[in-house]
Amino acid sequence: MKLNKKIRLLIAADGSAGSGKTTASKLIAKKYGLKFLSSGLLYRFVAYKLLTSKNVKSKNLFLKKITKKISSKDLKNKYLFSPKVTKYTSKIAKIKKIRNLLKNYQKKFAKKKLVIIEGRDIGTVIIPKADIKLFFKCPLDVTALRRFKEYRKINKKISFSDVKKAIRLRNSIDTKRKFSPLRVAKGAVVFDTSKVNKKQMLIQLSKIVDDKLKEKYAGSI
């Protein structure tokens, strides 16, 4: 579906680990031709660079350098999902300096005309004036199974219990951290993904998007 060139649409999609926000955001982005950004991948990229880069004389300068220009290719690195990077990502996501650097990157990305950004503080901090705010939720056992299937493609030795434990810890850290904690943004539509497949998800989310477009751009879609 191609939107009128005059239309501007900004969507914020938040939710806990494995809640389905990434899958849903990609589906919406593809249907409406939106630029897509996963903020979680940004933090994974920084974690990966910090873990693999040696002889860093100034960590502050290094962080500024790597967060200034992050390419789509950087975010497709399969090693961003290694257990080591996943664990370290939870730690660095609490650091205010890193959050601020990536906040700048995301806000710049949000200036594009048609955008959807997914993460954990998008509707509350990054784009609080988004046209649509979505908050995805899903029971822990379901999210853990989803992630387990993903991670098994990379690490055959990983166990379901380890994945479940890691997600529980990550969600706890995200909701309790001092800076930009995971919260349902004001005016957000809460969407439970536990009992819908991709097709059903897209149908329901499309109605939300279409209703907003009709409300904002009556007769010009």
Side-chain angles (χ1 to χ4, degrees):
M1 176 181 181
K2 279 194 174 184
L3 298 177
N4 188 298
K5 292 181 179 180
K6 295 180 180 180
I7 287 177
R8 296 183 68 87
L9 181 63
L10 190 55
I11 302 178
D14 292 304
S16 55
S19 60
K21 63 185 181 297
T22 303
T23 298
S25 297
K26 286 181 177 179
L27 290 172
I28 295 172
K30 183 177 181 180
K31 178 173 180 177
Y32 294 93
L34 310 182
K35 298 293 184 181
F36 167 75
L37 177 65
S38 170
S39 67
L41 288 180
L42 297 177
Y43 287 95
R44 285 178 178 274
F45 172 73
V46 172
Y48 171 76
K49 295 295 287 186
L50 288 173
L51 286 170
T52 57
S53 299
K54 299 178 180 179
N55 302 318
V56 176
K57 294 181 179 180
S58 172
K59 185 176 284 188
N60 287 335
L61 289 176
F62 179 70
L63 286 170
K64 287 181 180 179
K65 181 180 178 181
I66 64 172
T67 55
K68 195 171 184 180
K69 291 183 179 180
I70 303 175
S71 69
S72 57
K73 184 179 179 181
D74 291 327
L75 303 181
K76 292 178 181 177
N77 186 338
K78 67 178 182 179
Y79 296 108
L80 297 186
F81 291 93
S82 71
K84 191 174 182 180
V85 170
T86 298
K87 186 176 181 180
Y88 194 49
T89 299
S90 296
K91 293 182 179 180
I92 67 157
K94 296 185 293 182
I95 301 173
K96 187 177 182 180
K97 174 177 259 325
I98 292 177
R99 296 202 71 83
N100 283 337
L101 287 170
L102 293 179
K103 177 182 177 181
N104 293 334
Y105 182 94
Q106 293 169 81
K107 280 187 170 293
K108 184 178 179 181
F109 187 90
K111 290 181 179 179
K112 301 176 188 291
K113 286 187 66 176
L114 302 169
V115 173
I116 182 167
I117 304 178
E118 63 91 355
R120 289 168 172 78
D121 65 345
I122 310 305
T124 55
V125 176
I126 305 302
I127 42 176
K129 293 184 179 180
D131 296 299
I132 300 172
K133 297 176 187 177
L134 302 169
F135 189 92
F136 295 89
K137 68 174 186 176
C138 192
L140 179 59
D141 283 337
V142 178
T143 60
L145 183 59
R146 288 174 179 170
R147 281 296 169 88
F148 174 65
K149 290 179 179 178
E150 290 177 12
Y151 292 164
R152 282 279 291 179
K153 296 176 183 178
I154 301 172
N155 180 8
K156 296 295 183 181
K157 295 182 180 179
I158 197 166
S159 69
F160 175 76
S161 60
D162 285 342
V163 173
K164 184 176 179 179
K165 183 179 179 181
I167 292 177
R168 183 188 289 114
L169 177 61
R170 179 67 193 274
N171 289 339
S172 177
I173 291 173
D174 287 341
T175 55
K176 295 177 182 178
R177 68 184 176 219
K178 185 177 180 179
F179 304 108
S180 305
L182 174 64
R183 295 283 187 275
V184 179
K186 184 178 180 181
V189 176
V190 179
F191 193 94
D192 189 332
T193 66
S194 61
K195 296 181 181 179
V196 292
N197 57 35
K198 289 182 180 180
K199 184 177 180 179
Q200 293 169 328
M201 183 188 294
L202 182 58
I203 290 172
Q204 292 178 36
L205 290 173
S206 293
K207 186 178 186 309
I208 294 172
V209 176
D210 291 342
D211 287 347
K212 173 55 69 173
L213 288 171
K214 289 176 183 177
E215 175 191 319
K216 189 177 179 182
Y217 296 101
S220 61
I221 300 175

